[in-house]
Amino acid sequence: MTIHVKNNIHWVGQRDWEVQDFHGTEFKMTKGTSYNSYLLREEKTVLIDTVDHRFSHQFLQNLEMEIDLKSIDCIVVNHAEEDHSGALAALLERIPNTPIYCTEAAIDSIVGHHHHPEWNFKTVKTGDSLDVGNGKQLVFVEAPMLHWPDSMMTYLTGDAVLFSNDAFGQHYCDEHLFNDEVDQTELMDQCLRYYSNILTPFSNLVTAKIKEVLSFNLPVDMIATSHGIVWRDNPAQIIEKYLEWADDYQEDRITIFYDSMSNNTRMMADAIAQGIHDVDPAVAVKVFNVSRQDKNEILANVFRSKGVLVGSSTMNNVMMPKVAGMLEEITGLRFKQKKAGAFGSYGWNGGAVDRIHSRLTDAGFETVAGLKTKWRPDGKAMRICRAHGQQIAKQWALHELNVQPMQVVEAEPAPALSVAVPEKQKPQAHGAGCDCMICTVCNWVYDPEIGEPNQGVEPGTAWGDVPDYFLCPECNLGKDVFAVHTRCEVA
Ligand code: FEO
């Protein structure tokens, strides 16, 4: 089957709606993919890329229904990875000695995969061109690391079509070929999933390459990728998205992921998420169990987030293996300008939280202090987790928070909060030995001489007579987090 793309260009690729894994089993495909190959029939007949090796037979069969294979004058290999050059061996068995235009680096990887050093390679560099007749030329642009060192793009003058290979593509299978024909939400979700999971480490190169291509001042009417759709409606939109994603992208979002042996770390994740939401209802908080949920979806959410919180039970004094695997992936993806923190429940030692904290710091995240809970969190521990979330929300806020002072936890009382207390009710310094109590979470001080009239605790009420339902007016935690204020002289 072929699909007309533009003028003398036809799609001769292969759809693959069954595929679920890419890069071994590391990338889960939720919408299939396609391997896009293009046939140009100008005065010269040129094939741009092939398809995955699993479809070699079907690819040749389809191609032969369209043309005599011997009429192919040359093949352009933009990228040697098997999903694009996999059918080369079968094709060249039929048309040996056909020139293959590719980068120098591609010869190494093509020969490394197919073991045919005798193939007729024609090495090209950025700016080299090939006259295909009818007044049109193919212009080659090297694009190393987008996605392999061998990658390049090929531009067809006249028709102004950029054959971009992996760049601007997405693992998305649809009977329609063009971007304006498919579900836009699905399409952009898959574009982001592809970029975040595969191209993030090369963001600096993405920006530089796009600026280089734009500097040529070439019109781009279509971007014909090697996976998914062809961008014919406003192709600049995906270029703009790539520039945005490559620029230390983040949204007002926090991703929490964890693994949990006995549900205890999960309980902590739940309370932390609630605490974040208490203080900043506008922030998107996404919570995932790494052992049960789609890893690539989690990584896409990390990509979109301003910060990430990583939790694990302690097992053999280290973190749980799936969390360790995620941290290895995150390290490789080299996220920038993001914050992070660790948390987890433990029994007799809490090594997991310390190791997660170190790994996040080493991976370039700006880390906050971790949070540990011994055994199953009780009511007090859950309140501390919630307060931890509140503090994270405040520290990581991207906008001014419109919250009541009662909802905010501060390690030290903040001036903005202290002014909320009427002057006459401010605790006075008494010196050691007084009856004041201090909240061990936020340092708010209960002075029996003042009481807490907002909660019906009259001035002169001793701490022992304060009702059990009392909550710290700053961080909302209960009486059990209060301790004797031994340094009241600094209140
Ligand atoms: Fe679509 Fe890098 O292969």
Side-chain angles (χ1 to χ4, degrees), residues 22 79 81 83-84 147 166 227:
F22 187 64
H79 179 24
E81 197 167 4
D83 49 334
H84 307 295
H147 154 235
D166 279 336
H227 294 296

Side-chain angles (χ1 to χ4, degrees), residues 174-449:
D174 195 281
E175 288 302 303
H176 296 97
L177 182 62
F178 298 101
N179 67 309
D180 51 290
E181 299 175 314
V182 301
D183 183 301
Q184 299 300 295
T185 303
E186 280 186 354
L187 172 61
M188 293 316 293
D189 280 353
Q190 291 301 322
C191 286
L192 185 138
R193 183 180 174 95
Y194 188 91
Y195 186 96
S196 57
N197 278 270
I198 295 175
L199 293 177
T200 297
F202 314 116
S203 286
N204 288 344
L205 298 173
V206 168
T207 305
K209 185 52 59 180
I210 288 176
K211 287 183 176 169
E212 179 190 328
V213 172
L214 292 178
S215 74
F216 299 156
N217 285 322
L218 296 170
V220 176
D221 188 51
M222 285 188 192
I223 298 176
T225 69
S226 289
H227 294 296
I229 55 78
V230 169
W231 299 93
R232 74 174 174 191
D233 176 44
N234 184 22
Q237 66 179 293
I238 192 62
I239 297 174
E240 287 161 9
K241 272 290 170 202
Y242 264 47
L243 287 172
E244 191 182 347
W245 289 336
D247 188 19
D248 301 336
Y249 183 74
Q250 61 174 245
E251 300 171 15
D252 197 3
R253 173 178 294 249
I254 295 173
T255 295
I256 301 174
F257 69 81
Y258 65 90
D259 201 356
S260 189
M261 292 177 74
S262 307
N263 215 40
N264 303 337
T265 298
R266 180 196 181 282
M267 291 171 68
M268 294 180 72
D270 202 6
I272 292 169
Q274 284 182 43
I276 295 169
H277 196 252
D278 287 341
V279 170
D280 189 356
V283 69
V285 183
K286 303 294 176 184
V287 187
F288 301 93
N289 180 327
V290 294
S291 65
R292 301 186 190 283
Q293 288 169 284
D294 176 3
K295 177 188 71 173
N296 304 108
E297 178 69 14
I298 300 172
L299 290 171
N301 272 277
V302 172
F303 172 77
R304 295 174 64 180
S305 293
K306 61 184 178 183
V308 56
L309 295 167
V310 181
S312 175
S313 317
T314 292
M315 188 177 77
N316 300 326
N317 205 25
V318 297
M319 69 188 90
M320 295 182 72
K322 288 191 174 60
V323 176
M326 282 294 284
L327 291 178
E328 191 70 4
E329 293 226 29
I330 281 176
T331 301
L333 289 172
R334 301 200 283 279
F335 293 111
K336 293 192 178 72
Q337 303 294 330
K338 294 189 192 297
K339 299 179 170 61
F343 66 94
S345 162
Y346 67 101
W348 48 99
N349 51 42
V353 173
D354 301 330
R355 289 172 79 92
I356 293 169
H357 182 89
S358 298
R359 294 294 310 279
L360 288 168
T361 306
D362 292 346
F365 289 85
E366 183 187 323
T367 44
V368 297
L371 181 66
K372 300 178 186 178
T373 293
K374 195 167 186 330
W375 300 118
R376 175 154 300 154
D378 59 10
K380 174 183 174 183
M382 288 293 277
R383 284 195 291 269
I384 290 173
C385 290
R386 191 162 174 170
H388 185 71
Q390 293 173 346
Q391 201 153 16
I392 292 282
K394 186 158 185 275
Q395 287 178 4
W396 295 359
L398 297 180
H399 56 96
E400 194 169 338
L401 295 174
N402 181 25
V403 294
Q404 297 302 311
M406 279 181 65
Q407 294 177 280
V408 180
V409 176
E410 287 291 339
E412 297 291 334
L417 299 180
S418 60
V419 298
V421 180
E423 190 63 30
K424 63 183 174 54
Q425 292 186 342
K426 276 192 172 179
Q428 302 299 309
H430 303 105
C434 73
D435 295 325
C436 290
M437 301 292 287
I438 186 167
C439 173
T440 56
V441 175
C442 72
N443 290 344
W444 182 84
V445 173
Y446 175 80
D447 182 346
E449 292 178 13

Side-chain angles (χ1 to χ4, degrees), residues 22-23 29 33-35 79-85 146-148 150-151 165-167 171 194 198-199 226-227:
F22 187 64
H23 288 169
M29 290 149 151
T33 194
S34 64
Y35 316 104
H79 179 24
E81 197 167 4
E82 281 288 86
D83 49 334
H84 307 295
S85 72
L146 305 178
H147 154 235
W148 276 5
D150 59 48
S151 296
N165 199 263
D166 279 336
H171 289 309
Y194 188 91
I198 295 175
L199 293 177
S226 289
H227 294 296

